[in-house]
Amino acid sequence: MEEEAKQEFTKDGSVDLRGRPAVAARTGRWKACSFLVGYEAFERMAFYGVASNLVVYLTTELREETVSSVRNVNNWTGSVWMTPIAGAYVADAFLGRFWTFTFSSLLYLAGMVLTTLSVSLKALHPRCTPDGGCALATRSQVTFFYAALYTMAIGAGGTKPNISTFGADQFDDFDARESKTKASFFNWWMFSSFTGGLIAVLVLVYVQENVGWGVGYTIPTVGLALSLLLFYVGTPFYRHKPVRKDTAAGPARLVGRVFRAAFANRRRQLLVHDDVTELHEHDAAWYAAAGTKRRLHHTRAYRFLDKAALAGTPAEACTVTEVEEVKLITGMILVWLTTLVPCTIWAQVNTLFVKQGTTLDRAVGGVRIPAASLGSFITISMLLSIPVYDRVLVPLARRRTGDPRGITLLQRLGVGCALQVAAVACAYLVELRRMRVIRDTAATATHDTVPMSIFWMLPQYVLIGVGDVFSSVGILEFFYEQSPQGMQSLGTTFFTSGLGVGNFLNSLLVTVVDRVTRGGGGGGEGKSWIGDNLNDSHLDYYYVFLLLLAVLNLAVFVWVATRYEYKEEYLSDDGVVGAGSRETEMAGGKGKVERSKVIDAPLMVEMEGMRAV
């Protein structure tokens, strides 16, 4: 008992699995995260083992048309990224991250097992001859295959938004040393994620096309099962964040309450917009006693919402912190909208880029590489770019800007969007050359190989990879950090849902473009831009369309980013950082509160760092 009394507990209110205060020395930090990082590598290998080559399986094994296969891949991938909304809500409001992940991961594994059976058992997939001819899939075979895929999608809903945030929970924001170490967590989380994805596109895709689909799916399924065992081995070392009772109704109720209060007080005037004395707010002692919520500093954004906190009827009025939480959600939604087009562009990687690559010369040293394997250069580019960004660009930029992370998160996202514009422009130029070679060699038949190396597509993959170091990697941290306290899982779904909507949007665009151009809208030729025979289509027109969307979206993003106000949190007198900020200014003498001036998202505390997908 005396020894337990001397133990130092975490300062952020973390508990163990039984709900007892977590002992700082025995739990969390890298001791716990090593198990999570291991899981992530295997899970990414499983996911990309299916997703990277799915369009090829659908067109060659299930004999689907190009547009249908692209649409089905996008719809499934979109579902994988949309279901985390429900998973994050359940975690934040009811079960917590650990138990939500536990139940969902078992469902995810079941989906992988069923998918593996679908491509392995003769009764569950069409029979194919050695020359590549396959019978049409029966309705029951198609139904079983897609049921297995969507079982994975449902399981992913509880794993994707919770595993990375659960990893971040292993570090105490109120401990200076752990707060610094936390910055590196996302670096290695991304590294493990990319490593798993790289193995999938380099090894598994090759095995699927050259050894067999059953073997190519069995390997990641076994790996996923082993990774779950690894995750549960680390259970005694995990820290858990208690579920906040005030979020049980979800952010929707908070948003509705603030907007209703602001509308009810619409006729009342704010005397001075920057004077918070006329606004209702709890004092610092109240937040210190509550422990589950951090007080937010008043900002000038969306001033009409301040009326929800007008004093006079404190029992009914919202607090300044509640209003600021709604402001954060509103601002995040605007940023989220500007990520949809970049996510749509990313959707080309596993669909049209792969189909485009299948038409080119893929022979390398006598080996015919799978078109989907070219996606490995995205991963390789990111893995090479991460250390350069982390160890070179960030320190250089930090000296000029004084910002701990070199440039702000939104500036980083802007650079990523610009690089994606360059990637689409590059894809268009490569497609123009491909079509020129087709005309010169008359390689217009469906199965004709265009005498042009597939490595002409390499620059567009590299640009997307480097761009993701700035954009996709930073989006997760942005939404994690800007989310109100206790809603980080839901904040993470802003990222995952963006990818989901981007895939659905691409599915819609491909379908509409195909129908319009097939009906004669494509230059009066009556030829689809995205036909089954890409050697006799106009994929270049579609890339121009995407390029125009990307340029327009970049302009809108710049407009939104220049008007965004970052989250600011109050700190206690002892200078402990509530969420990892750098600059502080005293609001008064002893007994007062210290305000965190978060110039950017507060996770990166005096350290370079990367984010995780």
Side-chain angles (χ1 to χ4, degrees):
M1 293 296 293
E2 182 178 348
E3 181 180 351
E4 290 186 6
K6 294 180 180 179
Q7 291 176 344
E8 182 178 354
F9 300 112
T10 57
K11 303 173 184 177
D12 62 353
S14 298
V15 298
D16 61 17
L17 192 60
R18 297 182 180 180
R20 301 171 301 187
V23 178
R26 295 181 181 178
T27 61
R29 298 172 295 179
W30 280 113
K31 181 189 299 183
C33 286
S34 58
F35 298 99
L36 308 182
V37 170
Y39 164 82
E40 178 66 8
F42 283 106
E43 191 279 328
R44 289 293 82 190
M45 184 175 71
F47 174 74
Y48 284 112
V50 175
S52 297
N53 221 20
L54 183 57
V55 70
V56 174
Y57 182 83
L58 295 180
T59 54
T60 60
E61 301 291 319
L62 296 188
R63 306 295 294 277
E64 293 185 2
E65 295 181 349
T66 298
V67 172
S68 296
S69 64
V70 170
R71 181 169 57 242
N72 288 331
V73 170
N74 285 150
N75 289 342
W76 175 71
T77 307
S79 299
V80 168
W81 292 113
M82 290 297 290
T83 52
I85 296 176
Y89 174 76
V90 171
D92 281 344
F94 301 106
L95 297 181
R97 294 191 245 282
F98 177 83
W99 288 113
T100 303
F101 171 84
T102 295
F103 297 135
S104 300
S105 63
L106 296 177
L107 189 60
Y108 189 98
L109 178 61
M112 275 296 299
V113 171
L114 293 175
T115 304
T116 302
L117 292 176
S118 178
V119 302
S120 302
L121 300 181
K122 294 181 178 180
L124 296 178
H125 66 88
R127 296 185 178 182
C128 299
T129 59
D131 60 359
C134 295
L136 293 177
T138 64
R139 177 173 296 182
S140 59
Q141 290 172 338
V142 172
T143 300
F144 186 90
F145 180 73
Y146 280 107
L149 284 182
Y150 280 92
T151 299
M152 283 182 61
I154 296 173
T159 59
K160 286 185 181 296
N162 292 306
I163 187 64
S164 60
T165 47
F166 185 64
D169 289 344
Q170 304 309 308
F171 300 93
D172 190 344
D173 285 327
F174 291 89
D175 183 287
R177 180 176 298 179
E178 288 194 24
S179 185
K180 289 182 178 181
T181 306
K182 181 179 179 180
S184 292
F185 165 73
F186 280 115
N187 302 2
W188 293 104
W189 181 265
M190 175 64 83
F191 187 88
S192 67
S193 177
F194 288 166
T195 301
L198 184 61
I199 294 173
V201 295
L202 282 180
V203 179
L204 297 182
V205 167
Y206 181 84
V207 171
Q208 290 166 1
E209 294 193 16
N210 293 276
V211 179
W213 291 94
V215 178
Y217 277 46
T218 299
I219 294 174
T221 301
V222 173
L224 182 64
L226 293 177
S227 70
L228 285 177
L229 290 177
L230 183 66
F231 172 82
Y232 294 121
V233 167
T235 299
F237 306 107
Y238 297 147
R239 297 174 183 175
H240 306 264
K241 293 294 178 63
V243 177
R244 275 181 50 183
K245 299 301 182 181
D246 57 340
T247 61
R253 180 175 180 179
L254 174 64
V255 172
R257 179 167 171 260
V258 169
F259 271 89
R260 285 195 302 271
F263 180 79
N265 293 333
R266 64 189 182 280
R267 300 186 186 282
R268 297 179 61 183
Q269 296 296 320
L270 288 169
L271 299 179
V272 182
H273 284 293
D274 291 331
D275 183 10
V276 296
T277 58
E278 59 177 322
L279 302 179
H280 174 54
E281 179 60 289
H282 299 302
D283 57 22
W286 186 93
Y287 286 97
T292 59
K293 197 170 187 177
R294 294 170 184 163
R295 184 181 177 188
L296 296 179
H297 175 69
H298 176 259
T299 64
R300 302 179 66 183
Y302 312 108
R303 296 181 180 181
F304 66 95
L305 291 177
D306 288 339
K307 294 185 177 182
L310 281 172
T313 54
E316 300 177 4
C318 302
T319 64
V320 170
T321 292
E322 289 174 330
V323 172
E324 290 302 320
E325 287 180 335
V326 174
K327 288 181 180 181
L328 286 174
I329 295 173
T330 303
M332 289 163 59
I333 290 175
L334 292 179
V335 173
W336 177 82
L337 290 173
T338 65
T339 68
L340 298 185
V341 170
C343 290
T344 300
I345 294 173
W346 222 104
Q348 314 308 314
V349 172
N350 292 332
T351 53
L352 290 181
F353 280 12
V354 175
K355 291 299 295 180
Q356 184 183 18
T358 59
T359 69
L360 301 177
D361 181 8
R362 295 181 278 149
V364 178
V367 178
R368 194 164 181 261
I369 65 172
S373 291
L374 211 61
S376 63
F377 286 97
I378 294 180
T379 305
I380 293 172
S381 299
M382 296 186 77
L383 290 175
L384 293 177
S385 300
I386 284 175
V388 175
Y389 182 91
D390 191 44
R391 300 300 177 184
V392 180
L393 297 182
V394 170
L396 288 176
R398 182 188 296 141
R399 294 190 190 101
R400 296 180 62 88
T401 65
D403 190 291
R405 53 174 54 82
I407 58 176
T408 66
L409 282 176
L410 289 180
Q411 288 172 343
R412 182 176 184 175
L413 299 185
V415 173
C417 289
L419 287 173
Q420 277 203 332
V421 171
V424 178
C426 186
Y428 166 68
L429 294 176
V430 171
E431 179 62 15
L432 283 183
R433 189 182 191 282
R434 191 183 75 93
M435 296 185 67
R436 188 181 307 116
V437 173
I438 290 175
R439 289 194 298 269
D440 293 342
T441 60
T444 57
T446 302
H447 299 292
D448 283 349
T449 298
V450 181
M452 171 181 168
S453 174
I454 192 174
F455 289 104
W456 275 93
M457 298 179 64
L458 187 59
Q460 65 202 59
Y461 281 93
V462 171
L463 283 172
I464 287 180
V466 176
D468 274 0
V469 172
F470 288 88
S471 56
S472 293
V473 181
I475 289 174
L476 178 62
E477 185 186 5
F478 173 81
F479 287 125
Y480 176 85
E481 290 302 327
Q482 293 303 295
S483 299
Q485 175 68 14
M487 301 182 192
Q488 278 84 3
S489 289
L490 194 63
T492 304
T493 63
F494 273 96
F495 168 72
T496 60
S497 63
L499 291 173
V501 174
N503 277 276
F504 287 132
L505 182 58
N506 188 58
S507 176
L508 176 63
L509 291 177
V510 167
T511 302
V512 172
V513 166
D514 176 64
R515 290 180 180 177
V516 171
T517 57
R518 191 185 296 273
E525 300 176 13
K527 181 169 59 178
S528 174
W529 291 359
I530 318 170
D532 290 338
N533 180 9
L534 288 184
N535 292 343
D536 191 32
S537 300
H538 272 300
L539 193 58
D540 56 329
Y541 291 175
Y542 186 69
Y543 284 158
V544 168
F545 176 57
L546 286 180
L547 181 59
L548 294 175
L549 281 180
V551 172
L552 178 61
N553 181 79
L554 178 60
V556 174
F557 172 83
V558 171
W559 184 85
V560 172
T562 54
R563 288 160 176 78
Y564 185 84
E565 291 196 37
Y566 292 94
K567 179 169 69 174
E568 300 183 50
E569 295 180 340
Y570 281 86
L571 308 179
S572 60
D573 284 346
D574 59 7
V576 173
V577 181
S581 65
R582 292 294 85 225
E583 299 180 22
T584 57
E585 67 175 298
M586 297 301 296
K590 186 169 178 155
K592 299 286 185 177
V593 192
E594 201 175 54
R595 180 164 64 88
S596 162
K597 295 184 67 176
V598 183
I599 306 302
D600 210 332
L603 183 58
M604 308 293 282
V605 183
E606 285 187 341
M607 284 192 69
E608 316 91 323
M610 301 302 303
R611 301 18 120 179
V613 169

